[in-house]
Amino acid sequence: MSEKNFNAVTLIRKKRDGKKLSAEEIEYLVRAYTTDRIPDYQMSAFLMASFLNGLNREEAAALTGSMLTSGIVVDLSDLQGKKVDKHSTGGVGDKLSLILAPIVASCGVPVPMISGRGLGHTGGTLDKLESIPGFKVDITLDRYKEIIGRHNLVLAGQTEEIAPADKRLYALRDVTATVESIPLIAGSIMSKKLAEGIDALVLDVKFGSGAFMKDHADAMTLAETLVGIGEEFGKETIAYLTSMEQPLGYAVGNWLEVKESIESLNGNGPEDVMEITHLLAGTMIYLGNKAASTEEGIEMSRKAVQDGSAMQKWIDIVEEHGGDTDVIIDPDSYRSAQFVEPVKAEASGTITEMDAFAMGMVSVELGAGRKAKEEDVDPAAGFILYKKIGDSVKAGETFAELHTNKKDVMKTAKEGMKRAITIENRNVKPLKMITHRVDKDGIHEYPG
Ligand code: URA
């Protein structure tokens, strides 16, 4: 699109007054900002006006498109088959990418996966991958194409070439209180995913205490916005709303989660982890045209775990990325934190609630996440849960085990974990892990 010269003040005023901007006007703002022709203060005003008045579906798609075309869009058209990725809006203990990517690739669907680092209380796939000794996520575009061509799977970090406008806008949103806006979040996520060279996308939109969207209705609006943008760009997009009311699985922390994903690929995964993994993997297999339905895809996903083909794919991809496969074959032989201590329940009863956000913050305190952008994470730090919502505990019984290399944080971390659980003398219903599917035809209760 050839760029017209608009007046930034006029566009800010238009959005401030609740009017709709055209795709050209949004394109101008993003282009001019990323080429330093609009200063931070004007872009901040536009972001706040968008935050307060919202962006409709066309505006969100225009924003996504301008951020997408600020960088390169990887061309994987030489590679046979429909390329399908998955994105999660983030949570605590969310190691699903590590399990489903090799499952889906072993079923013949190419998975180009560009992941991020931990953000706030949530973990990130890149930090988890880097806890495997030798595993390299910083690769060139040529290498990216070479790896996916060879294995149907590549696991990489975001490069400077992918959606650079999002990087600048995200940094500005971070310091102008404009992060928590559904269209801005959706545009940010989709601009990066659409740059990967995908044909279709599965989204895991989390709700609950450990999610960015605590509220189910907000998560639903985010899911609808993400699906709308995907479809606008001609990519089949299916989203599921899944529970983040407690950490996923039992392990939280980078290497601890890699270990749990290895157990999962070996057929011993936690029930909640495997329920969502098989659904997302099955949907990806269906979108990749290797199954006639999601249900058939789920069956193929289960089989890939049972017959060991997903595990073999995982070993191959770890080796290709320079990782040490001995620790994948024998994870207990490798890496443990210097200080490992139990956390004991203070009362007897049933665990009725877990504050997954607070638990995520405990994992950051232990060293598994970052308090400042430039900090390194400690791959060995985190915690293992022994109990989850609905389980009964006795006073003095261990419900979690903390792992850290920083002895001085142990006391506050234990207190944080104790505060994060609610023990009562009543029973609770099992959590419903998946509530809805959102696709181009609308919102459907899950299971239907
Ligand atoms: N993740 C992103 O990539 N962008 C956002 O705006 C929020 C979460």
Side-chain angles (χ1 to χ4, degrees), residues 79-356:
L79 188 64
Q80 289 231 319
K82 273 178 83 183
K83 277 68 77 180
V84 189
D85 190 17
K86 163 257 176 188
H87 178 80
S88 157
T89 56
V92 181
D94 183 356
K95 70 277 297 170
L96 304 191
S97 288
L98 305 181
I99 313 166
L100 64 78
I103 291 179
V104 176
S106 73
C107 291
V109 178
V111 182
M113 192 174 266
I114 296 184
S115 308
R117 299 200 176 276
L119 198 63
H121 66 287
T122 68
T125 300
L126 282 192
D127 294 327
K128 293 173 211 205
L129 292 172
E130 283 183 344
S131 74
I132 302 168
F135 199 108
K136 258 178 79 58
V137 290
D138 296 324
I139 52 174
T140 63
L141 199 51
D142 285 344
R143 182 90 178 105
Y144 178 88
K145 290 182 180 171
E146 183 191 327
I147 298 179
I148 190 162
R150 192 172 298 152
H151 297 282
N152 263 350
L153 175 58
V154 60
L155 299 160
Q158 203 190 332
T159 66
E160 295 294 321
E161 303 141 293
I162 303 276
D166 172 62
K167 195 169 178 195
R168 279 198 65 179
L169 282 171
Y170 192 87
L172 193 61
R173 286 167 58 208
D174 206 19
V175 291
T176 54
T178 52
V179 168
E180 303 90 342
S181 146
I182 288 173
L184 297 181
I185 291 175
S188 168
I189 290 173
M190 293 303 283
S191 64
K192 288 173 287 203
K193 287 284 125 183
L194 293 168
E196 288 176 337
I198 51 167
D199 298 304
L201 181 64
V202 174
L203 294 155
D204 183 8
V205 180
K206 307 272 183 210
F207 64 88
S209 63
F212 283 108
M213 298 285 147
K214 312 269 178 252
D215 196 57
H216 189 272
D218 288 340
M220 181 71 87
T221 308
L222 177 60
E224 287 182 276
T225 311
L226 290 163
V227 170
I229 294 174
E231 295 291 335
E232 198 87 27
F233 282 83
K235 313 288 175 192
E236 265 176 282
T237 308
I238 297 177
Y240 292 97
L241 268 82
T242 73
S243 173
M244 190 30 78
E245 293 291 6
Q246 62 181 343
L248 260 178
Y250 294 95
V252 174
N254 298 298
W255 173 247
L256 295 172
E257 289 187 48
V258 171
K259 268 172 80 165
E260 192 167 72
S261 49
I262 295 168
E263 282 161 26
S264 303
L265 284 168
N266 279 328
N268 305 312
E271 208 178 304
D272 56 351
V273 167
M274 294 320 292
E275 183 185 357
I276 307 179
T277 295
H278 286 310
L279 174 66
L280 300 176
T283 307
M284 291 171 77
I285 297 165
Y286 160 67
L287 286 174
N289 289 343
K290 296 290 175 192
S293 63
T294 297
E295 292 66 34
E296 192 183 312
I298 291 173
E299 277 318 302
M300 288 172 72
S301 171
R302 290 190 202 286
K303 189 164 168 292
V305 173
Q306 277 158 15
D307 69 15
S309 50
M311 188 63 198
Q312 188 54 53
K313 178 63 72 181
W314 180 233
I315 291 170
D316 293 346
I317 201 72
V318 168
E319 186 164 30
E320 184 71 58
H321 278 271
D324 180 349
T325 52
D326 288 351
V327 305
I328 303 296
I329 292 158
D330 183 12
D332 287 331
S333 66
Y334 177 65
R335 214 195 279 287
S336 62
Q338 208 181 337
F339 307 104
V340 178
E341 291 190 16
V343 195
K344 299 190 171 160
E346 288 188 333
S348 299
T350 302
I351 299 182
T352 55
E353 271 179 52
M354 279 190 168
D355 183 342

Side-chain angles (χ1 to χ4, degrees), residues 30 62-71 162-166 169 184 187-188 191:
V30 173
L63 178 71
T64 309
S66 4
M67 294 197 292
L68 171 67
T69 51
S70 70
I162 303 276
D166 172 62
L169 282 171
L184 297 181
S188 168
S191 64

